[in-house]
Amino acid sequence: MGSLPSDCFEHGKFLFVIVFIVVTLNCLTTKANLCRNNSVAAPRIPAYDILSSLQTLALDGYFSLEDNGHAAKDFGNIYHCPPLAILHPKTVSDISRTIKHIFEMDSASQLKVAARGRGHSLQGQAQAYQGLVVNMESLKGSEMVVHGGEFPYVDVSASELWIVILHETLKHGLAPKSWTDYLHLTVGGTLSNAGISGQAFKHGPQIDNIFQLEVITGKGEVLTCSENQNADLFYGVLGGLGQFGIITRARIYLEPAPIKVKWIRVLYSEFSVFTRDQEYLISLENTFDYIEGFVITNRTGILNNWRSSFNPEDPIQSSQFNSDGRTFYCLEVAKYFNPGETEAMNQEVDQLLSELSYIPSTLFLSEVPYVDFLDRVHVSEMKLRAKGLWEVPHPWLNLLIPRSKIHEFAHEVFEKILSDTSNGPILIYPVNQSRWNNRTFLVTPEEDVFYLVAFLPSAVPFSTGKDSLDYILSQNERIIEFCKRAQLGAKQYLAHYNTREEWEGHFGTIWELMRRRKSEYDPLAILAPGHRIFQNSKADTNLLLAM
Ligand SMILES: Cc1cc2nc3c(=O)[nH]c(=O)nc-3n(C[C@H](O)[C@H](O)[C@H](O)COP(=O)(O)OP(=O)(O)OC[C@H]3O[C@@H](n4cnc5c(N)ncnc54)[C@H](O)[C@@H]3O)c2cc1C
Ligand SMILES: *[C@@H]1O[C@H](CO)[C@@H](O)[C@H](O)[C@H]1NC(C)=O
Ligand SMILES: *[C@@H]1O[C@H](CO)[C@@H](O)[C@H](O)[C@H]1NC(C)=O
Ligand SMILES: *[C@@H]1O[C@H](CO)[C@@H](O)[C@H](O)[C@H]1NC(C)=O
Ligand SMILES: *[C@@H]1O[C@H](CO)[C@@H](O)[C@H](O)[C@H]1NC(C)=O
């Protein structure tokens, strides 16, 4: 674990010097290995030759060869793999012509291409070591078009942020149905993963709410795809970790947007009571519109946070609530409503709450505008940024745990592995995937009902204690090891693996399908190298051709 890559590149320039002195060789070697594993040895045509030939293409946008450090950085702030160049496309055709050129240059060319949305990846997934990063955000100017009617939808550029889509669709009284907790993410970035949040139990993840996509394959073709047209590509790209194409446009289903949200938090001291209530709520036909939950570990600081982040109309009981240093579980739910429906909404909420078994003195209610509710994490972002606590390493771990194993998991992880630490929020909530689309490439556990458990710690730079990057990474490793050892049937979400074998295990029964689609849409494995799934494209492709 000690050899895990601490941040060699930038945590601020002066800090860089200190790290450099302390860990010089070890760190640099590790980092180099880590990045180099993304590419394949001995390319026949050196990447920079391809690059110079690329520069002869007459594009609307341009390539930048210098000052590209930001493309070697992401929200995780753990992996830093610099690209050779960045493409700043102005048009879709800039991207397709570039990829087509790389594809046609030579089958052994090793210039890899990574689409970069906002770079909110955690482990270098949007990076391309010695490759080409496509800065999707420069692809602006394509208009957002909202269509009303019985099945409303919006057409957007894949580089658009969800927060921008929210504001635009609200002008028409409409909004997407399924969200992420944080909206300053791109459509292309979340659709490559899934987009899971408190609405997914009802509407499925974001990838289940897409009508049509425009995609550039690893051969440089621009294809429109949907359930009825190029369906293999459509479902391949949804949850496909960028392996089959770069999404350039998306048509997203909308629903009438509410004006306001009743936002509710209640606490439990018993894990089994907490999960029973959560599972009950997601099983109802008429229930809340959003259901999540989180763990409050044995740290009074976190408990205070639980209230202060939630400023309005704090009832007296909850402000007097004392944690006694125990672990609590917070159920967080929301009900959408419009002014004029307040009374009916309150009755429904009272009815639902009356069936739950939370600690009565911990009922915490507020009413906020719909936008404020959806954009809630941005408020925390601003606060953390102001304190310089946003751009720290984020060794996050997202797991999907089958319902039948969640108690075993909670016992081991919350009470043992994490008993003496608390470095950030831990989200935990169930979904029932029986009505989710099972043709996408999102990998989930086998049981219908599973829990999303998200460990969202921040590491303190240069700490050597329990809040250090190394310590948190080793805790994550213990959690992953436990899941394996106890055979929980867990899956990683926003998965990260270093070896081919681990990826095979992750994809399980759809691994063969994955390889087939890869050989069809990105046969030279040019795209999305940061996931390290197809590290050796030649071998992979030849194997397939021989089959
Ligand atoms: C604060 C925070 C909260 C989050 N909350 C949630 C949550 O509630 N639910 C959830 O599901 N996720 C959540 N995420 C994770 C988020 O979905 C991922 O970070 C995702 O990568 C989106 O970020 P991005 O748009 O910056 O994409 P990037 O990090 O830039 O890219 C992500 C991956 O997609 C590829 N990619 C990017 N654009 C495209 C494209 N147009 N076409 C094809 N591939 C592309 C990249 O190559 C990379 O492999 C959260 C992340 C953060 C930082
Ligand atoms: C990279 O590859 C080398 C050699 O195959 C291996 O020793 C090293 O552990 C790999 N690093 C990572 C982070 O996978
Ligand atoms: C919780 O924290 C308190 C104060 O730090 C400590 O005394 C207590 O033993 C802890 N309880 C558990 C269950 O870890
Ligand atoms: C999941 O949803 C399906 C379909 O609505 C339902 O039949 C099933 O009972 C649910 N599973 C659980 C464990 O609640
Ligand atoms: C996928 O879903 C369809 C329709 O809901 C169902 O008929 C099919 O059996 C499912 N396939 C798998 C592998 O679960």
Side-chain angles (χ1 to χ4, degrees), residues 416-443:
K416 294 186 183 164
I417 300 177
L418 300 180
S419 63
D420 60 347
T421 51
S422 175
N423 295 307
I426 303 171
L427 307 184
I428 177 166
Y429 55 92
V431 292
N432 181 340
Q433 66 177 329
S434 65
R435 277 183 275 178
W436 290 16
N437 197 316
N438 59 14
R439 296 176 69 187
T440 68
F441 263 75
L442 172 64
V443 174

Side-chain angles (χ1 to χ4, degrees), residues 298-299 324-327 419-420:
N298 184 15
R299 279 277 192 98
D324 295 332
R326 283 180 293 158
T327 297
S419 63
D420 60 347

Side-chain angles (χ1 to χ4, degrees), residues 24 35 77 89 97 100 129 206 236 244 297 300 310 330 403 420 429 433 490 492:
T24 320
C35 297
N77 210 346
R97 288 174 62 202
K100 196 166 203 289
Y129 180 59
Q206 291 182 315
F244 313 110
T297 55
T300 45
F310 209 75
C330 178
R403 180 181 84 122
D420 60 347
Y429 55 92
Q433 66 177 329
Q492 282 191 33

Side-chain angles (χ1 to χ4, degrees), residues 219-519:
K219 302 179 196 169
E221 313 150 291
V222 185
L223 298 176
T224 298
C225 57
S226 67
E227 192 183 346
N228 305 315
Q229 187 183 2
N230 297 314
D232 280 1
L233 181 62
F234 182 66
Y235 290 116
V237 163
L238 294 171
L241 309 179
Q243 294 303 310
F244 313 110
I246 294 181
I247 307 168
T248 48
R249 290 192 70 76
R251 178 168 288 183
I252 304 165
Y253 285 119
L254 304 175
E255 66 179 1
I259 306 282
K260 293 198 82 178
V261 171
K262 186 96 172 184
W263 187 3
I264 300 159
R265 287 175 178 177
V266 292
L267 292 189
Y268 294 77
S269 55
E270 294 293 326
F271 186 70
S272 57
V273 181
F274 166 70
T275 52
R276 191 191 64 205
D277 279 358
Q278 278 190 322
E279 288 173 22
Y280 172 69
L281 288 176
I282 67 158
S283 77
L284 294 177
E285 201 55 47
N286 282 315
T287 186
F288 291 104
D289 296 294
Y290 161 101
I291 299 171
E292 287 199 9
F294 52 94
V295 181
I296 299 169
T297 55
N298 184 15
R299 279 277 192 98
T300 45
I302 301 289
L303 195 65
N304 286 333
N305 242 340
W306 161 74
R307 270 188 281 107
S308 65
S309 68
F310 209 75
N311 67 71
E313 304 155 43
D314 194 344
I316 293 158
Q317 311 98 290
S318 99
S319 63
Q320 288 171 349
F321 184 78
N322 189 342
S323 81
D324 295 332
R326 283 180 293 158
T327 297
F328 286 90
Y329 306 95
C330 178
L331 171 69
E332 179 175 70
V333 293
K335 190 85 180 162
Y336 301 164
F337 69 103
N338 291 320
E341 306 164 358
T342 314
E343 215 164 294
M345 181 276 300
N346 277 330
Q347 273 173 19
E348 277 181 66
V349 165
D350 286 347
Q351 170 61 30
L352 286 167
L353 289 177
S354 73
E355 296 175 63
L356 306 181
S357 309
Y358 54 88
I359 305 168
S361 64
T362 64
L363 173 62
F364 191 90
L365 301 153
S366 82
E367 284 176 16
V368 296
Y370 182 55
V371 175
D372 293 8
F373 172 71
L374 289 180
D375 203 22
R376 62 198 177 276
V377 174
H378 188 54
V379 178
S380 309
E381 175 185 358
M382 303 310 273
K383 286 186 197 159
L384 290 170
R385 275 190 190 281
K387 292 187 213 157
L389 295 177
W390 184 254
E391 302 206 2
V392 297
H394 294 105
W396 287 8
L397 176 65
N398 288 271
L399 296 173
L400 309 177
I401 309 290
R403 180 181 84 122
S404 66
K405 299 292 163 70
I406 194 66
H407 296 278
E408 193 179 344
F409 178 87
H411 178 69
E412 178 73 18
V413 175
F414 304 144
E415 286 167 40
K416 294 186 183 164
I417 300 177
L418 300 180
S419 63
D420 60 347
T421 51
S422 175
N423 295 307
I426 303 171
L427 307 184
I428 177 166
Y429 55 92
V431 292
N432 181 340
Q433 66 177 329
S434 65
R435 277 183 275 178
W436 290 16
N437 197 316
N438 59 14
R439 296 176 69 187
T440 68
F441 263 75
L442 172 64
V443 174
T444 55
E446 276 174 22
E447 280 175 39
D448 272 357
V449 176
F450 60 84
Y451 280 78
L452 179 105
V453 187
F455 301 92
L456 311 174
S458 297
V460 174
F462 312 106
S463 159
T464 51
K466 288 179 175 171
D467 49 11
S468 68
L469 179 60
D470 277 357
Y471 190 87
I472 299 170
L473 285 172
S474 73
Q475 269 185 335
N476 288 351
E477 211 47 54
R478 282 176 68 194
I479 295 170
I480 292 168
E481 271 308 309
F482 164 71
C483 291
K484 267 197 242 162
R485 198 171 61 243
Q487 302 189 322
L488 300 189
K491 293 291 181 184
Q492 282 191 33
Y493 174 56
L494 304 173
H496 167 67
Y497 296 108
N498 286 315
T499 68
R500 171 66 173 271
E501 291 66 37
E502 288 170 307
W503 277 115
E504 279 191 48
H506 175 75
F507 284 105
T509 53
I510 62 169
W511 172 250
E512 275 314 309
L513 193 59
M514 175 95 191
R515 288 210 328 172
R516 241 173 264 271
R517 296 249 168 102
K518 185 75 174 176
S519 74

Side-chain angles (χ1 to χ4, degrees), residues 30 33-34 36-37 79 498-499 532 535:
T30 323
N33 266 345
L34 201 98
R36 214 160 276 146
N37 285 5
Y79 287 70
N498 286 315
T499 68
R532 305 144 195 272
Q535 297 175 12

